[in-house]
Amino acid sequence: MKLPTSQEMKNLDRSASEVYGIPSVVLMENAGLSTVLMMERELGPCKDTFAPIFVGPGNNGGDGLVIGRHLHQRGCRPVFFFLVGPDKLEGDAKTNLAIIKNLKLPFHVIDTAARAETITILVKQFESRGLPCYAIIDSIFGIGLTRDITGHFSDVVNLINKMSFKGTTPVVSVDTPSGMEADTGKVLGACVRANYTATYCCAKPGHYIHGSAYWTGKLEVIDIGIPPEAIYRAGISTELATKDLVQQLIKPLRRKRTSHKGSHGHLLILGGSKGKTGAAILSAKGAMRSGAGLVTLAAPEDLNHTLESSVAEVMTVPLTNSRKILSVDDWPLIEKEINNKAALVIGPGIGQDPATSALALKVYNEVRCPVIFDADGLNILANLSGNLLAPAGPRIYTPHPGELSRLLGKTPDIIQDNRLDASILGCDLFHNDLYETVLVLKGAGTVIAANGGSTIINTTGNPGMAAAGMGDVLSGMIGAFICQGLSPKDAAVAAVYLHGAAGDILYDEKGAGFYASELADTVPIALKQNLLVD
């Protein structure tokens, strides 16, 4: 599913009219009518009810006028609250305003804070007549909002939230909840908390990142008549990681009856240091549970007994010169181990000792197979960014916001407020023309960015995964999928989705409090549920 930015969506609307000859007023009519049909499916019939409809200054307000008209057709009594003077409406919104006036449907102008206080009084008048409120319609601001909501607009947004969540009256937002930025999902001053959001043609990136589900509620993507050809030709760079997409990506993971361990690749993990063996173990478990045929864990010699006793199925390479930390002094042995490996993971639990940093830099510069940099591997790269040359092969980076903030020299808050752009910037930081570069920005609505500025937003995962070790499991999963033949980008998308799906299985079963090791053990179930079988 494509996720256009606000500008890309405006271009799509214009393309529908200018290239395909579909009048914009027809698109608005389709949007309003389809929203009412959605409301009837979700909320039941609207006859003998009333509906307050909050109308903003642009096309979003025009959609609200169409919605009100079709509710009126079905026996509901709409009452319109204009947050700007009706004479300021233009284009298709103005056309639909004329229809509302011809129908003599009631409306009130709420363009000051004082007037906002009258909304509650007017609503109570309907209630006193024995009419229940069917729904509150939020058509104030749409996808074009880029600045904070203030003044009487903010007062009305807060009033809508108060009217809805003190009782059972649902709020239906048009395209995006007013106050949520469509491209980033962040709240601009104040935001309507919707029970349902009807978004048109395509969902938007902001619906899936920055914890925006809290504001969006149940999201329904509504077809308003923009041709699929227009969407295909629009060059939209952001996509949603859906179950259908991931099922197609992981088709190569289906096993033949003649499979053996050598058929599914060999992963090398460089991980662990004194006090941090768990990270390396979790990465190895994530790899094994994701189907890697063979996994070798190279770690400081003093940790070898702990590692061997923790993961019986994983081979180990004790690094004799390292002892308590990974060291560049063991490069000859590590280089030999890399020779027959399909992929390498470096970072889980390794620390940032100078000898370890020198090893990570050598891996970055010289290893030809795909390398996943995670945890301290990323922090080392951040410290060495001035010394980085073009890498010797494909590279995958898996930062959380704090790690990406160190790589980009920006605060974590800036990263979180601009997750798509930050992911692209991080990917560009390491981009080269010879090899594939992928960056995975972890968190709610994990973003996978790849060469050329393309991004994919994940849809699985839950708050129960906010626990230590989850990222270590993910790094092993990505490595395992590369070992089994997926490209770095496809491996990252599949691993992120299935990692979240495994977490969702546990969250549904247990709630919060499950371990990262439990998630690793649940990955085969998530794989089974998503792997297509002929």
Side-chain angles (χ1 to χ4, degrees), residues 70-104:
H70 283 285
L71 288 174
H72 170 67
Q73 293 283 118
R74 289 159 169 74
C76 176
R77 299 188 186 183
V79 54
F80 298 94
F81 295 103
F82 287 88
L83 273 63
V84 295
D87 57 317
K88 294 184 179 179
L89 296 184
E90 298 177 346
D92 299 331
K94 184 177 181 180
T95 298
N96 279 287
L97 171 64
I99 301 173
I100 295 302
K101 288 181 174 179
N102 290 336
L103 290 170
K104 296 182 170 49

Side-chain angles (χ1 to χ4, degrees), residues 430-441:
F430 296 105
H431 171 74
N432 71 93
D433 294 329
L434 296 177
Y435 302 107
E436 190 171 359
T437 304
V438 179
L439 185 135
V440 177
L441 177 55

Side-chain angles (χ1 to χ4, degrees), residues 43-177:
L43 307 176
C46 63
K47 188 177 181 181
D48 297 326
T49 65
F50 78 97
I53 300 172
F54 295 89
V55 179
N59 282 338
N60 200 254
D63 295 328
L65 296 174
V66 177
I67 290 168
R69 174 160 48 82
H70 283 285
L71 288 174
H72 170 67
Q73 293 283 118
R74 289 159 169 74
C76 176
R77 299 188 186 183
V79 54
F80 298 94
F81 295 103
F82 287 88
L83 273 63
V84 295
D87 57 317
K88 294 184 179 179
L89 296 184
E90 298 177 346
D92 299 331
K94 184 177 181 180
T95 298
N96 279 287
L97 171 64
I99 301 173
I100 295 302
K101 288 181 174 179
N102 290 336
L103 290 170
K104 296 182 170 49
L105 297 178
F107 67 85
H108 304 271
V109 179
I110 309 295
D111 55 3
T112 66
R115 288 186 174 182
E117 296 176 1
T118 66
I119 294 172
T120 303
I121 298 171
L122 293 167
V123 167
K124 285 182 177 179
Q125 288 178 359
F126 278 93
E127 292 174 340
S128 67
R129 302 174 201 164
L131 291 175
C133 184
Y134 182 61
I136 300 167
I137 312 302
D138 158 36
S139 59
I140 305 171
F141 295 113
I143 62 174
L145 185 68
T146 57
R147 62 178 183 270
D148 282 0
I149 294 177
T150 59
H152 73 285
F153 293 104
S154 178
D155 293 338
V156 170
V157 165
N158 292 329
L159 179 61
I160 289 172
N161 291 338
K162 184 178 178 181
M163 289 167 62
S164 172
F165 287 94
K166 73 175 183 179
T168 58
T169 304
V171 173
V172 178
S173 284
V174 173
D175 225 359
T176 57

Side-chain angles (χ1 to χ4, degrees), residues 30 36 61 64 70 94 100 151 167 176 198 212 228 269 437 442-443 499:
N30 292 345
V36 171
H70 283 285
K94 184 177 181 180
I100 295 302
T176 57
S212 55
I269 299 173
T437 304
K442 295 179 288 194
H499 181 262

